């Protein structure tokens, strides 16, 4: 038997570093394994990252975190989905809700019934049959009903929060469970001469932090995987040409909305994310098609409330490290790769990196097959998320700018071409290999972006229009009535987890 790890070191104290520290400290006994986190206040964190997807609920539950306490500490609000404005064409909008549309019947996906009723003259968009979309449009929120017969059992949700406060909250959690925090800037990475394994981090003050396993949570710096081990970066900017963001917060104006808004602009898109204390905004754009000044000016002109501070530029490149785990170092967070926050997936990818590591937790010898399996899994995760994000750009009718002309006509990954063709030809969508985005998400974005199936399920096609329309109408009115009984989102937050600033 080889030895278990005795010293684990996490380098970086952003969301990635503290999520890793919190998860490991919840599982490992400090008497058996010491966990040290090194971070530098002088360097700081990226300071953005506000929208999440429902999987974060599982992460917090695994840690035994109480939802109301966490929400209060991070200024969180609820999120029922994302509204996409002007993506298919200017003036058009749709919601990609969490959860599904309608109810599948006789083992056949709901959207086939919707397509049939549409052929029979039904003008309601598919979003009118989603409990989350209906509640979101009315600014309502309630927790899901555990009774599966209830329409409210269809509620799925995530959070908008302040990622910096989330990292601070997890720091408290991890330190209480024995994680040692060391303040300092790493000036030199020490490696074993024979294997190249990292053995220690030399700090600016002269101390040495040694370990057997290292997590690289240094953000875009990628100090261990990139700079020290020289792992190359797979560049996807030909499919995702946006490489810059301008971010700024503003005061609230209007109701506290339980959804993220993403508005397409001439060379990218703008996010609006309401937390309890402010609204986060950012303009993601391609530097090849728009100048920084123009991007900042578009952002500032399109804020709901009064600007807090001034826009800050962040540069990035879509893609990921060719290997996520190399030698005894694992990249988690921005050091592992970056996909723009169009579907709020970065914090999820951090979570997935941590849980896959835990599922593979090896002895200190680190068998190479364990590393290979980790790398295979994370590569697939990144590729699947990539395809879903590209779909929003490529399935557009917009031809009003060089940026949209590029996106509409670019060559797509084969995996995405296959999904689009299958849906366009036969109205079919499937979830492959534990893929993050469920069938319902693909269908919401296909239909929202105007990818209309030429054909749909022949069994449904044979049903009388009237009976299908009647079933759909019952679902739609049940959802409207249920939403009407739900509290207003702001009132719910105030009672459940309101912070002083709400
Ligand atoms: P960072 O926050 O950059 O932390 C890096 C850490 O490493 C810091 O503590 C730093 O001090 C430390 N460090 C670096 N070098 C050294 C050194 N030499 N010595 C010591 N310490 C060092 N994600 C979402 O899920 N939803 C969103 O809505 C979302 N929006 C985003 C918008 C933009 C524009 C961007 C760029 C990202 C967004 N993200 C979003 C991603 C999210 O911000 C990150 O995934 C998340 O915050 C994790 O960052 P990190 O911890 O990897 O890096």
């Amino acid at each position: 038997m080889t030895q278990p790890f005795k010293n684990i070191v996490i380098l970086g104290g952003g969301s990635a570093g503290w999520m890793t520290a919190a998860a490991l400290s919840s599982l490992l006994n400090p008497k058996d394994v010491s966990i040290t986190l090194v971070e530098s206040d002088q360097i700081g964190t990226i300071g953005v990252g506000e929208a999440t997807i429902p999987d974060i609920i599982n992460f917090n539950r695994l840690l035994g975190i109480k939802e109301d306490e966490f929400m209060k500490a991070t200024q969180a609000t609820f999120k029922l989905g994302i509204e996409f404005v002007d993506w298919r064409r200017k003036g058009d909008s749709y919601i990609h809700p969490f959860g599904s549309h309608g109810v599948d019947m006789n083992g056949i996906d709901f959207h086939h019934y919707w397509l049939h009723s549409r052929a029979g003259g039904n003008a309601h968009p598919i979003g009118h049959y989603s409990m989350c979309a209906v509640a979101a449009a009315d600014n309502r929120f309630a927790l899901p009903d555990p009774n599966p017969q209830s329409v409210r059992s269809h509620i799925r949700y995530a959070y908008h929060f302040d990622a910096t406060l989330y990292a601070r909250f997890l720091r408290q959690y991890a330190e209480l469970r024995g994680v040692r925090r060391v303040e300092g800037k790493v000036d030199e990475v020490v490696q074993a001469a024979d294997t190249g394994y990292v053995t220690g981090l030399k700090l600016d003050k002269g101390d040495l932090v040694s370990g057997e396993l290292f997590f690289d949570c240094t953000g875009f710096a990628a100090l261990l995987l990139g700079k020290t081990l020289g792992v190359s970066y797979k560049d996807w900017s030909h499919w995702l040409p946006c490489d810059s963001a301008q971010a700024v917060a503003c005061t609230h104006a209007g109701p506290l909305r339980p959804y993220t808004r993403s508005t397409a602009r001439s060379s990218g898109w703008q996010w609006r994310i309401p937390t309890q204390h402010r609204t986060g905004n950012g303009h993601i754009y391609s530097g090849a098609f728009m100048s920084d000044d123009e991007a900042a000016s578009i952002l500032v002109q399109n804020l709901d409330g009064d600007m807090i501070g001034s826009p800050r530029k962040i540069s990035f490149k879509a893609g990921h490290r060719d290997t996520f785990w190399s030698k005894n170092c694992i990249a988690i967070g921005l050091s592992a790769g970056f996909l723009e926050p169009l579907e709020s997936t970065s914090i999820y990818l951090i979570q997935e990196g941590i849980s896959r590591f835990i599922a593979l937790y090896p002895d200190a010898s680190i068998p190479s097959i364990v590393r290979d399996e980790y790398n295979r899994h994370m590569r697939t995760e990144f590729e699947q998320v990539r395809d879903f994000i590209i779909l929003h750009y490529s399935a557009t009718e917009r031809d009003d700018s060089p940026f949209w002309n590029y996106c509409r006509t670019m060559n797509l990954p084969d995996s995405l071409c296959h999904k689009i063709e299958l849906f366009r030809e036969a109205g079919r969508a499937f979830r492959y290999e534990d893929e993050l985005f469920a069938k319902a998400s693909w269908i919401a974005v296909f239909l929202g972006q105007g990818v209309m199936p030429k054909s749909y399920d022949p069994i449904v096609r044979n049903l009388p229009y009237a009976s299908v329309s009647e079933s759909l109408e019952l679902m739609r009115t049940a959802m409207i009535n249920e939403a009407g009984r739900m509290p207003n989102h702001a009132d719910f937050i105030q009672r459940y987890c309101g912070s002083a600033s709400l």
Side-chain angles (χ1 to χ4, degrees), residues 50 74-78 160-161 248-259 272-281 303-308 489-490 493-494 499-502:
E50 295 156 320
T74 60
Q75 299 280 354
T77 61
F78 289 101
H160 301 126
F161 61 37
V248 77
C250 71
T251 57
H252 283 306
L256 189 67
R257 294 185 174 83
Y259 59 92
R272 183 190 69 183
I273 302 177
T275 54
Q276 289 190 37
H277 56 326
R278 54 168 163 70
T279 300
N281 307 278
L303 300 178
D304 286 351
D306 297 332
M307 188 159 69
I308 304 169
H489 179 224
I493 296 268
Q494 186 68 266
S499 70
S501 58
L502 185 65

Side-chain angles (χ1 to χ4, degrees), residues 223-236:
L223 189 61
L224 302 183
L225 266 284
K227 296 212 171 81
T228 305
L229 300 180
V231 176
S232 50
Y233 194 81
K234 189 174 284 300
D235 181 349
W236 283 336

Side-chain angles (χ1 to χ4, degrees), residues 271-293:
W271 79 74
R272 183 190 69 183
I273 302 177
T275 54
Q276 289 190 37
H277 56 326
R278 54 168 163 70
T279 300
N281 307 278
H283 184 184
I284 298 266
Y285 58 102
S286 166
F289 293 91
M290 182 174 275
S291 72
D292 296 342
D293 286 348

Side-chain angles (χ1 to χ4, degrees), residues 317-332:
K317 190 189 283 181
H320 65 81
R321 296 266 146 225
D322 279 321
T323 51
F324 300 84
W325 184 342
S326 174
K327 300 188 189 291
N328 61 338
C329 296
I330 301 157
I332 305 259

Side-chain angles (χ1 to χ4, degrees), residues 12-16 40 43-46 48-51 184 186 217-219 334 341 346-347:
S15 325
S40 160
I43 296 175
T45 63
I46 187 115
V48 278
E50 295 156 320
V186 172
C217 300
T218 57
L334 299 173
S346 290
I347 289 173

Side-chain angles (χ1 to χ4, degrees), residues 114-276:
W114 176 77
L115 287 165
H116 191 51
S117 76
R118 191 170 169 271
N122 176 15
H124 286 289
I126 194 158
H128 287 186
Y129 303 90
S130 149
M131 190 64 250
C132 286
V134 171
D138 208 12
N139 291 319
R140 307 278 184 156
F141 183 81
L143 293 168
D145 189 334
N147 173 9
Q149 303 302 322
S150 156
V151 197
R152 202 182 287 184
S153 69
H154 294 274
I155 290 283
R156 297 284 175 278
Y157 68 91
Y159 314 106
H160 301 126
F161 61 37
D162 182 331
T164 307
L165 295 180
Y166 186 48
R168 201 175 294 165
F169 181 79
L170 293 179
R171 174 179 164 184
Q172 272 179 6
Y173 176 100
E175 286 185 321
L176 269 174
R177 285 160 183 77
V179 172
R180 184 172 70 104
R181 175 186 180 274
V182 175
E183 166 62 36
K185 181 169 163 288
V186 172
D187 273 348
E188 189 190 333
V189 178
V190 186
Q191 291 174 269
D194 50 348
T195 59
Y197 274 40
V198 172
T199 57
L201 308 174
K202 266 200 192 144
L203 307 187
D204 48 353
K205 294 176 202 118
D207 344 12
L208 176 72
V209 178
S210 304
E212 296 132 19
L213 184 72
F214 290 79
F215 285 91
D216 183 347
C217 300
T218 57
F220 287 132
L223 189 61
L224 302 183
L225 266 284
K227 296 212 171 81
T228 305
L229 300 180
V231 176
S232 50
Y233 194 81
K234 189 174 284 300
D235 181 349
W236 283 336
S237 41
H238 50 297
W239 286 316
L240 293 168
C242 288
D243 58 4
S244 309
Q246 300 277 347
V248 77
C250 71
T251 57
H252 283 306
L256 189 67
R257 294 185 174 83
Y259 59 92
T260 302
R261 176 179 286 167
S262 160
T263 306
R265 303 281 178 223
S266 62
S267 298
W269 60 280
Q270 181 167 339
W271 79 74
R272 183 190 69 183
I273 302 177
T275 54
Q276 289 190 37

